[in-house]
Amino acid sequence: MPLFDGITATTIHTGRLAANVLTRTGQRTDGPAAVFIHGNVSSSLFWQPAMLALPEDIAAYAVDLRGFGGSERAPVDATRGVRDFSDDVHAVVRELGLGPVHVVGWSMGGGVALQYALDHPAASITLQAPVSPYGFGGTRLDGTRLTEDDAGTGGGGANPGFVAALQAGDTSRENALGPWAVYKSSYVSPGFASEDEDTWVESMLTTATGEDNYPGDSVASANWPGFAAGTRGVLNTMAPGHFDVSGIVALAVKPPILWVRGDADAIVSDSSAFDLNFLGQAGVIPGWPGADVAPAQQMLAQTRAVLERYAANGGRYSEEVFAGTGHAPSVEQPERFAELLAAHVRGAA
């Protein structure tokens, strides 16, 4: 596992699974604790720049979710939404003897962070390019589902060539469907270069594949585009029939929320290149039935609407936009991300 200088990996055994956890070597543990939750097709390795940029009085723990990184490969029950993941994180927090922690979630991990806060005490929440509170794909602005079977979402939406590249451990730069190409085109902004790109590809390649993990299973549908969400595996956890964390607006105790995003994000956007309805609208997928039937998901607008309701009900949130930055602001601008996170953590006290 390609660890940066100053980062240590430890296996934490819980009653749920054996989880790999990254910490800063010799870090202080007498102050607030931030727990970092990575996104889909990645691992805790992506959090290393931000962890190292944090001030020393904030302890940092980055947890590999089941089936990713160095954690145990365990099946994912998608009918629970992302609760398999959030309960795993809580088991690690409990095993480490931490109190209410500051949860930091990226992409799918943002959904995990919100589910964590719904089920367990959290001191604050930081969302980096989070999945919409209503899941990925298949909903209107108010979160209502487009079809009863969530057509066009879940495991069937993964590109088979990309899944095959993950299974093959493909590190080449020639395969347009391989992890390196996907990282360059979708995880970061156009033109961003890093000397750590091999590490990010290795992180992506730790993804366990199959119907119980990534991407998950799929079922046939009479609705366009011909498939619907299944009940197993990672992508199905974010199908709107399984996932809805908009209930945060009703939390009795509302931890402050920091929302960080890049304005060049290709994945979480109101015009996402990974939303099949948007691709149909763009003519990439044939047979699109039109905006009345299959509108593109307004991911950013949905998140903002839920957070506005959160604030109206007594909570507070702030939105920070990184100009010219893609899906991973903490990779492209780790110092700025860490500065914002540190201020957020200290302001939550």
Side-chain angles (χ1 to χ4, degrees), residues 80-270:
R80 304 187 69 230
V82 294
R83 284 184 178 87
D84 275 357
F85 296 135
S86 60
D87 287 349
D88 289 346
V89 172
H90 183 251
V92 170
V93 168
R94 189 172 58 243
E95 192 67 30
L96 291 171
L98 304 175
V101 295
H102 301 267
V103 288
V104 185
W106 172 37
S107 195
M108 179 183 77
V112 176
L114 289 173
Q115 187 65 60
Y116 185 103
L118 278 169
D119 298 335
H120 312 290
S124 75
I125 304 167
T126 298
L127 306 173
Q128 175 178 244
V131 62
S132 161
Y134 301 113
F136 201 94
T139 56
R140 301 189 186 278
L141 178 59
D142 64 358
T144 54
R145 297 159 66 193
L146 298 178
T147 63
E148 291 185 1
D149 61 358
D150 297 326
T153 74
N159 188 304
F162 178 58
V163 177
L166 291 176
Q167 291 172 331
D170 187 350
T171 61
S172 72
R173 302 196 173 192
E174 294 73 37
N175 183 359
L177 296 178
W180 187 83
V182 171
Y183 160 77
K184 292 292 285 185
S185 66
S186 304
Y187 283 39
V188 293
S189 59
F192 176 76
S194 166
E195 62 183 13
D196 301 309
E197 287 174 355
D198 289 343
T199 297
W200 312 144
V201 171
E202 288 297 324
S203 173
M204 296 169 72
L205 287 171
T206 66
T207 303
T209 56
E211 290 193 335
D212 281 327
N213 296 102
Y214 180 85
D217 64 345
S218 182
V219 299
S221 174
N223 300 303
W224 185 88
F227 70 87
T231 60
R232 300 154 56 199
V234 175
L235 291 186
N236 293 309
T237 66
M238 294 174 284
H242 302 318
F243 178 91
D244 183 346
V245 292
S246 64
I248 61 164
V249 302
L251 280 176
V253 178
K254 293 181 172 64
I257 296 176
L258 170 65
W259 176 22
V260 176
R261 64 180 182 88
D263 67 0
D265 192 335
I267 298 177
V268 174
S269 162
D270 287 352

Side-chain angles (χ1 to χ4, degrees), residues 1-10 20-25 27 35-39 42-55 58 60-64 69 104 106 128 194-204 206 328-335 337-338 341:
M1 183 177 293
L3 298 179
F4 290 9
D5 288 342
I7 298 292
T8 300
T10 306
N20 183 63
V21 179
L22 302 188
T23 59
R24 287 180 299 177
T25 306
Q27 69 180 0
V35 173
F36 294 81
I37 307 169
H38 64 80
S42 67
S43 74
S44 58
L45 293 175
F46 271 91
W47 285 121
Q48 293 179 99
M51 293 170 68
L52 291 171
L54 273 180
I58 300 175
Y61 303 86
V63 181
D64 281 335
V104 185
W106 172 37
Q128 175 178 244
S194 166
E195 62 183 13
D196 301 309
E197 287 174 355
D198 289 343
T199 297
W200 312 144
V201 171
E202 288 297 324
S203 173
M204 296 169 72
T206 66
S330 62
V331 169
E332 295 195 45
Q333 298 186 49
E335 291 81 9
F337 180 86
L341 175 58

